[in-house]
């Protein structure tokens, strides 16, 4: 079945079956495809502006350069579809299932994904600028080189997703759950993590420039070699997180709780720990240059062999902190308390 240049605006396709249909340059403005089965259809350069594709089943469809501006995909199933260079500007996906779909270079600018499921999907080099993901599930998804500039993730669940070289500049992760997700080499730009739960996620070599972690919970996440420049971590809870060899430049820890976090070999330059609670954190071999630790509470922190250059401890409570063979160069301890009295 071929629909090269057909115009099927406002048509209703009910439970039609399209098998291996080719849609070429067809135009489906305002068309309704409820329950349609599109099997191995090829959409070429077809246009589906304002089309409604509720419950449609796309099987192994190929989307080529198709345009789905303002299209609505409710309960749609995309199986093993290939999105090629398709454009889904402002499209709405509610409860859509993307199965093992391959997103290629598709563009989803300002698209809205509510309750969408991306299990095992490969997002390739897709672009999701300003996209909104609410309650989306990405379990086992591979985000490759996908770009999420200004995207918003609310209550999203990332399970065992792999983010590879994904770029998440300015993305917002409110209440997101990262489970066992892997973000190696990912770039988070000015992302906002709000009340995110980072679980056992792995962020090796990830870059967090200007990122805001608000009330984020770091659980047992791993940030080896990660870079935090101008990051804001006020009120964050670090629990058992691991930051081996991580670099923190101008990072602000505000009233964060470092719990049992491990910062071995971490480097803190111009970092601010005002009112931070270092609890039982392990900072052995860490390097603090120009760090400000005013009013910080060290309690049972372990700082053996740490190096403090020009650090300021004004009003800090050092209590039972263990400094082992630490080195202090030009440090200032104005009004600091070295006892638990």
């Amino acid at each position: 079945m071929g629909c090269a240049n057909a115009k099927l605006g406002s048509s209703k396709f009910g439970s039609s079956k399209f098998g291996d249909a080719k849609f070429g340059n067809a135009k489906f403005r305002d068309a309704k495809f409820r329950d349609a089965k599109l099997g191995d259809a090829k959409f070429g350069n077809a246009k589906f502006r304002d089309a409604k594709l509720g419950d449609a089943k796309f099987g192994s469809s190929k989307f080529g350069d198709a345009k789905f501006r303002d299209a609505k995909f409710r309960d749609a199933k995309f199986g093993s579809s290939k999105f090629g260079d398709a454009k889904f500007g402002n499209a709405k996906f509610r409860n859509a299932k993307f199965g093992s779909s391959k997103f290629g270079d598709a563009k989803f600018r300002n698209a809205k994904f509510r309750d969408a499921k991306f299990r095992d999907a490969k997002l390739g080099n897709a672009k999701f600028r300003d996209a909104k993901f609410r309650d989306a599930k990405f379990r086992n998804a591979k985000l490759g080189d996908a770009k999420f500039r200004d995207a918003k993730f609310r209550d999203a669940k990332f399970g065992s997703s792999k983010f590879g070289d994904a770029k998440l500049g300015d993305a917002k992760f409110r209440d997101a759950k990262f489970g066992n997700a892997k973000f190696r080499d990912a770039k988070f730009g000015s992302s906002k993590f709000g009340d995110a739960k980072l679980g056992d996620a792995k962020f090796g070599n990830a870059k967090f420039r200007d990122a805001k972690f608000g009330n984020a919970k770091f659980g047992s996440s791993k940030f080896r070699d990660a870079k935090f420049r101008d990051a804001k971590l006020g009120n964050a809870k670090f629990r058992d997180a691991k930051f081996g060899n991580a670099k923190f430049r101008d990072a602000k820890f505000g009233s964060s709780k470092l719990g049992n976090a491990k910062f071995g070999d971490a480097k803190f330059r111009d970092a601010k720990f005002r009112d931070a609670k270092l609890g039982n954190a392990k900072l052995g071999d860490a390097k603090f240059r120009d760090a400000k630790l005013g009013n910080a509470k060290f309690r049972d922190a372990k700082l053996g062999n740490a190096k403090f250059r020009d650090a300021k401890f004004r009003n800090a409570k050092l209590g039972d902190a263990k400094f082992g063979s630490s080195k202090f160069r030009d440090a200032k301890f104005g009004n600091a308390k070295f006892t638990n009295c």
Side-chain angles (χ1 to χ4, degrees):
M1 174 180 168
C3 295
N5 293 298
K7 294 180 178 64
L8 298 113
S10 301
S11 296
K12 295 180 179 65
F13 289 90
S15 299
S16 302
K17 296 179 179 66
F18 288 84
D20 295 302
K22 296 178 180 64
F23 291 90
N25 291 304
K27 295 177 178 65
F28 293 88
R29 182 159 184 159
D30 297 309
K32 295 177 178 64
F33 286 82
R34 189 171 180 85
D35 294 310
K37 295 177 179 65
L38 290 105
D40 295 301
K42 296 177 181 64
F43 291 90
N45 196 36
K47 296 175 180 63
F48 291 80
R49 181 156 186 163
D50 292 307
K52 295 177 179 64
L53 297 105
D55 289 307
K57 296 174 181 66
F58 288 87
S60 299
S61 299
K62 295 178 180 64
F63 286 79
D65 292 300
K67 295 173 181 66
F68 290 83
R69 184 171 179 85
D70 296 306
K72 295 175 180 66
F73 297 85
R74 182 158 184 167
D75 298 306
K77 296 175 181 66
F78 290 90
S80 300
S81 297
K82 294 180 179 65
F83 290 90
D85 292 298
K87 294 177 179 65
F88 294 85
N90 209 39
K92 293 178 178 65
F93 297 86
R94 182 151 187 176
N95 201 38
K97 295 178 178 67
F98 289 91
S100 299
S101 300
K102 294 182 177 67
F103 284 73
D105 291 295
K107 294 177 180 66
F108 293 84
R109 182 158 187 162
N110 206 38
K112 293 174 180 66
F113 298 87
R114 182 154 186 175
D115 293 306
K117 295 170 182 70
F118 292 85
R119 187 177 178 119
D120 297 311
K122 295 179 178 66
L123 278 72
N125 196 39
K127 294 175 181 65
F128 294 87
R129 182 160 186 165
D130 293 305
K132 294 173 181 66
F133 298 84
R134 183 156 184 175
D135 293 305
K137 295 175 180 67
F138 290 84
R139 189 172 180 84
N140 288 323
K142 294 178 179 65
L143 285 87
D145 291 304
K147 295 174 182 65
F148 294 85
R149 188 176 177 106
D150 291 310
K152 294 178 179 66
F153 295 84
R154 182 157 184 176
D155 293 307
K157 295 176 180 67
F158 291 92
S160 299
S161 301
K162 295 179 179 66
F163 280 75
D165 293 304
K167 294 173 181 65
L168 298 121
D170 298 307
K172 296 172 181 67
F173 297 88
R174 183 164 176 174
D175 295 309
K177 296 177 179 66
F178 290 88
N180 290 304
K182 296 176 179 67
F183 292 86
R184 186 165 181 93
D185 297 309
K187 295 176 180 66
F188 287 87
S190 297
S191 299
K192 295 179 177 67
F193 286 83
D195 293 301
K197 295 175 180 67
L198 304 181
D200 292 304
K202 295 176 180 66
F203 295 86
N205 207 38
K207 295 175 179 65
F208 298 88
R209 182 156 185 167
D210 293 309
K212 295 175 179 67
F213 287 86
N215 294 308
K217 295 177 179 65
F218 284 78
S220 299
S221 50
K222 296 172 181 68
F223 291 83
R224 185 164 185 86
D225 297 309
K227 294 174 182 67
F228 296 83
R229 183 156 184 173
D230 295 306
K232 294 173 182 65
L233 299 125
N235 292 317
K237 295 177 179 66
F238 288 85
R239 201 178 158 197
D240 295 299
K242 296 178 179 67
F243 294 86
N245 207 39
K247 293 177 179 65
F248 297 86
R249 183 156 185 174
D250 290 306
K252 295 175 180 67
F253 287 85
S255 299
S256 56
K257 296 179 177 69
L258 276 70
N260 293 304
K262 295 177 179 67
F263 291 86
D265 289 309
K267 294 174 181 67
F268 299 89
R269 182 158 183 174
D270 295 307
K272 295 170 183 67
F273 288 84
R274 186 174 179 85
D275 295 311
K277 295 179 178 68
L278 279 71
N280 196 37
K282 295 169 182 67
L283 294 134
D285 294 304
K287 294 176 180 66
F288 295 83
R289 183 162 181 175
D290 293 307
K292 294 175 179 65
L293 298 127
N295 212 38
K297 296 172 181 69
F298 284 76
R299 200 178 164 196
D300 295 303
K302 295 173 179 65
L303 297 118
N305 211 37
K307 293 177 180 65
F308 296 87
R309 183 166 178 174
D310 294 307
K312 295 172 181 66
F313 291 84
R314 185 171 180 79
N315 292 318
K317 295 176 178 66
L318 304 174
D320 291 311
K322 296 171 181 66
F323 286 90
S325 300
S326 298
K327 295 179 178 65
F328 297 86
R329 182 169 174 178
D330 295 313
K332 294 177 178 66
F333 291 87
N335 209 34
K337 294 180 177 63
F338 289 84
T339 70
N340 285 319
C341 301

